[in-house]
Amino acid sequence: MKNNKDFIIRKINETDYGMCAKSLMETFKEEPWNEDWTHGQALERIEELMVSRMSLGYVAEYEGVVVGMCIGRIMTCVNFKELWVDEFSVNPSVQGLGVGSRLIQYVKLETEKEGIANMALTTQVGSPAVKFYEKNGFRVGDSVVFMHN
């Protein structure tokens, strides 16, 4: 593969779920996440994310293999709709080739056609993903606090 132009980006379909699970496993076993997903767990996550009628997903594919994905839900706000990205990953074997940036740009263009104003997501503080998302037009919000228990 020479550059990110060799990749196809398209809407996800159910036959992609297994490859998406494999890509998720490979991506998140790396630093800084160090997560040990089984294929069954990763597949279940993909299926859970895609089950809603408001689910929306895209994949980056190279030679018939899914190497990246963006999966989220269309959420209605008072005056607009936005895509809440639940899962975004690019397989480590193709990171640094611009595939992730191209995937984000594709998703932005496609969702704008559907009247979706913007994308929102969360990521781990201090991870390389923060700089990647900032480079691609995301910014840290000043009006939202992420909370968990």
Side-chain angles (χ1 to χ4, degrees), residues 1-8 62 94 96-99 102:
M1 112 189 56
K2 297 187 188 232
N3 60 47
N4 73 28
K5 302 285 188 221
D6 297 331
F7 293 84
I8 297 168
Y62 177 72
V94 298
L97 298 177
V99 176
R102 199 167 139 224

Side-chain angles (χ1 to χ4, degrees), residues 70-134:
C70 178
I71 297 174
R73 294 162 287 131
I74 301 169
M75 301 297 287
T76 301
C77 299
V78 174
N79 296 314
F80 60 94
K81 291 184 183 283
E82 65 185 359
L83 180 66
W84 282 67
V85 177
D86 294 301
E87 200 63 67
F88 185 92
S89 65
V90 174
N91 190 295
S93 67
V94 298
Q95 287 179 5
L97 298 177
V99 176
S101 294
R102 199 167 139 224
L103 179 57
I104 286 175
Q105 294 310 311
Y106 185 90
V107 172
K108 283 182 182 180
L109 289 172
E110 291 299 303
T111 55
E112 284 173 3
K113 291 177 191 175
E114 297 183 35
I116 299 168
N118 62 329
M119 295 167 61
L121 56 81
T122 60
T123 193
Q124 187 173 336
V125 173
S127 74
V130 174
K131 286 185 177 156
F132 166 78
Y133 290 123
E134 288 175 336

